[in-house]
Amino acid sequence: MNHSQKTEVLTNKDVAIERLCANTVALVKHARNIAVQQVNMIQLLTYYTIGKWIIEVQQKGETRARYGSQVINRLYEELKKNFERGFSEDSLKNARKFYLTYKDRIDETVFNLFAVKKSETVFSLFEEKPPFIVSWSHYL
Protein backbone atom coordinates (compact mmCIF):
# COMPACT_ATOMS: atom_id res chain seq x y z
CA MET A 1 0.00 0.00 0.00
CA ASN A 2 1.56 3.25 -1.08
CA HIS A 3 1.23 6.62 0.64
CA SER A 4 -1.69 7.92 -1.51
CA GLN A 5 -3.72 4.73 -0.88
CA LYS A 6 -3.14 5.06 2.89
CA THR A 7 -4.28 8.69 2.79
CA GLU A 8 -7.40 7.75 0.81
CA VAL A 9 -8.29 4.98 3.26
CA LEU A 10 -7.85 7.32 6.22
CA THR A 11 -9.89 10.00 4.48
CA ASN A 12 -12.72 7.57 3.73
CA LYS A 13 -12.57 6.35 7.33
CA ASP A 14 -12.66 9.94 8.61
CA VAL A 15 -15.68 10.70 6.43
CA ALA A 16 -17.43 7.58 7.70
CA ILE A 17 -16.66 8.52 11.32
CA GLU A 18 -17.88 12.07 10.74
CA ARG A 19 -21.07 10.73 9.15
CA LEU A 20 -21.51 8.36 12.10
CA CYS A 21 -21.08 11.23 14.54
CA ALA A 22 -23.46 13.55 12.67
CA ASN A 23 -26.11 10.86 12.27
CA THR A 24 -25.86 9.85 15.92
CA VAL A 25 -26.13 13.43 17.17
CA ALA A 26 -29.15 14.02 14.90
CA LEU A 27 -30.81 10.81 16.11
CA VAL A 28 -30.27 11.61 19.79
CA LYS A 29 -31.66 15.13 19.28
CA HIS A 30 -34.66 13.71 17.44
CA ALA A 31 -35.25 11.05 20.11
CA ARG A 32 -35.00 13.60 22.91
CA ASN A 33 -37.44 15.88 21.13
CA ILE A 34 -39.93 13.03 20.82
CA ALA A 35 -39.40 12.10 24.47
CA VAL A 36 -39.97 15.68 25.63
CA GLN A 37 -43.15 15.91 23.56
CA GLN A 38 -44.42 12.58 24.91
CA VAL A 39 -43.56 13.42 28.51
CA ASN A 40 -45.25 16.81 28.12
CA MET A 41 -48.38 15.22 26.65
CA ILE A 42 -48.47 12.60 29.42
CA GLN A 43 -48.08 15.29 32.07
CA LEU A 44 -50.85 17.41 30.55
CA LEU A 45 -53.20 14.45 30.17
CA THR A 46 -52.46 13.40 33.74
CA TYR A 47 -53.27 16.82 35.16
CA TYR A 48 -56.34 17.05 32.90
CA THR A 49 -57.53 13.69 34.25
CA ILE A 50 -56.84 14.60 37.87
CA GLY A 51 -58.75 17.85 37.35
CA LYS A 52 -61.67 16.02 35.78
CA TRP A 53 -61.81 13.50 38.61
CA ILE A 54 -61.63 16.25 41.24
CA ILE A 55 -64.55 18.05 39.60
CA GLU A 56 -66.56 14.84 39.35
CA VAL A 57 -66.08 14.06 43.05
CA GLN A 58 -66.49 17.64 44.26
CA GLN A 59 -69.59 18.47 42.29
CA LYS A 60 -71.28 15.10 41.81
CA GLY A 61 -73.06 16.52 38.80
CA GLU A 62 -74.02 19.78 40.48
CA THR A 63 -72.95 23.18 39.19
CA ARG A 64 -71.17 24.11 42.43
CA ALA A 65 -69.05 22.00 44.74
CA ARG A 66 -70.26 21.49 48.30
CA TYR A 67 -67.08 20.20 49.87
CA GLY A 68 -64.35 21.14 47.42
CA SER A 69 -61.43 21.74 49.77
CA GLN A 70 -61.96 18.39 51.51
CA VAL A 71 -61.44 16.59 48.21
CA ILE A 72 -58.25 18.49 47.40
CA ASN A 73 -56.85 18.05 50.94
CA ARG A 74 -57.56 14.32 51.03
CA LEU A 75 -56.13 13.74 47.55
CA TYR A 76 -53.05 15.79 48.43
CA GLU A 77 -52.42 13.66 51.53
CA GLU A 78 -52.72 10.44 49.53
CA LEU A 79 -50.40 11.65 46.77
CA LYS A 80 -47.87 12.92 49.31
CA LYS A 81 -47.90 9.54 51.03
CA ASN A 82 -47.39 7.66 47.75
CA PHE A 83 -45.04 9.99 45.88
CA GLU A 84 -43.48 12.21 48.57
CA ARG A 85 -43.16 15.17 46.20
CA GLY A 86 -44.41 16.49 42.91
CA PHE A 87 -47.94 17.22 44.01
CA SER A 88 -49.12 20.08 46.17
CA GLU A 89 -52.55 21.36 47.02
CA ASP A 90 -51.86 24.23 44.62
CA SER A 91 -50.95 21.83 41.80
CA LEU A 92 -54.20 19.95 42.39
CA LYS A 93 -56.15 23.21 42.30
CA ASN A 94 -54.31 24.05 39.08
CA ALA A 95 -55.22 20.65 37.63
CA ARG A 96 -58.85 21.39 38.46
CA LYS A 97 -58.65 24.81 36.78
CA PHE A 98 -56.84 23.28 33.80
CA TYR A 99 -59.63 20.78 33.27
CA LEU A 100 -62.34 23.42 33.64
CA THR A 101 -60.59 25.66 31.13
CA TYR A 102 -59.82 22.97 28.53
CA LYS A 103 -62.53 20.36 29.15
CA ASP A 104 -63.68 20.51 25.53
CA ARG A 105 -60.27 19.58 24.09
CA ILE A 106 -60.42 15.85 24.80
CA ASP A 107 -63.43 13.73 23.98
CA GLU A 108 -64.64 10.99 26.30
CA THR A 109 -63.23 8.16 24.14
CA VAL A 110 -59.71 9.57 24.28
CA PHE A 111 -60.08 10.26 27.99
CA ASN A 112 -61.12 6.66 28.63
CA LEU A 113 -58.25 5.29 26.55
CA PHE A 114 -55.74 7.27 28.60
CA ALA A 115 -57.21 7.41 32.10
CA VAL A 116 -59.30 4.28 32.40
CA LYS A 117 -57.77 1.73 30.02
CA LYS A 118 -54.28 3.24 30.34
CA SER A 119 -53.68 2.55 26.67
CA GLU A 120 -50.52 3.78 25.00
CA THR A 121 -52.27 3.85 21.63
CA VAL A 122 -53.97 7.08 22.66
CA PHE A 123 -50.85 9.00 21.65
CA SER A 124 -51.15 7.96 18.02
CA LEU A 125 -54.44 9.90 17.97
CA PHE A 126 -52.51 13.09 18.73
CA GLU A 127 -49.94 12.82 15.94
CA GLU A 128 -51.81 15.11 13.56
CA LYS A 129 -53.67 17.38 15.99
CA PRO A 130 -52.54 17.32 19.62
CA PRO A 131 -55.03 18.75 22.14
CA PHE A 132 -52.25 20.68 23.90
CA ILE A 133 -49.15 22.12 22.27
CA VAL A 134 -47.23 23.84 25.04
CA SER A 135 -45.83 22.63 28.36
CA TRP A 136 -47.63 22.39 31.70
CA SER A 137 -45.62 25.32 33.05
CA HIS A 138 -46.86 27.46 30.16
CA TYR A 139 -50.48 26.68 31.05
CA LEU A 140 -49.78 27.55 34.68
Side-chain angles (χ1 to χ4, degrees):
M1 185 181 277
N2 65 30
H3 180 67
S4 65
Q5 288 174 322
K6 260 186 185 175
T7 304
E8 185 177 316
V9 170
L10 289 175
T11 302
N12 287 340
K13 185 186 274 186
D14 290 342
V15 168
I17 290 171
E18 290 305 313
R19 189 176 313 124
L20 168 67
C21 292
N23 289 342
T24 302
V25 167
L27 176 63
V28 170
K29 285 181 179 180
H30 175 70
R32 285 183 176 178
N33 186 39
I34 291 171
V36 165
Q37 290 173 2
Q38 291 297 319
V39 166
N40 184 53
M41 185 59 65
I42 290 166
Q43 183 180 32
L44 289 167
L45 287 173
T46 299
Y47 280 111
Y48 179 93
T49 300
I50 291 169
K52 178 178 172 63
W53 287 343
I54 289 170
I55 290 295
E56 288 173 351
V57 170
Q58 284 180 333
Q59 295 183 199
K60 295 197 184 241
E62 298 175 19
T63 54
R64 295 199 52 116
R66 290 192 179 166
Y67 54 101
S69 62
Q70 283 180 355
V71 174
I72 300 254
N73 293 340
R74 175 66 182 98
L75 183 55
Y76 164 70
E77 290 299 325
E78 190 64 25
L79 291 170
K80 185 171 87 170
K81 183 171 72 175
N82 280 275
F83 302 108
E84 294 183 24
R85 51 179 251 216
F87 294 95
S88 66
E89 290 179 76
D90 285 342
S91 70
L92 296 175
K93 289 174 186 174
N94 285 331
R96 183 182 178 282
K97 288 178 193 173
F98 181 69
Y99 169 73
L100 288 172
T101 304
Y102 298 106
K103 64 184 174 185
D104 297 329
R105 292 226 182 154
I106 298 178
D107 68 30
E108 199 61 30
T109 303
V110 172
F111 173 80
N112 282 324
L113 276 173
F114 176 76
V116 178
K117 295 182 180 178
K118 299 186 181 40
S119 171
E120 294 176 21
T121 60
V122 72
F123 299 106
S124 65
L125 302 172
F126 301 141
E127 287 175 0
E128 288 185 29
K129 189 177 178 192
F132 309 108
I133 55 171
V134 295
S135 69
W136 172 246
S137 61
H138 177 82
Y139 287 104
L140 291 177

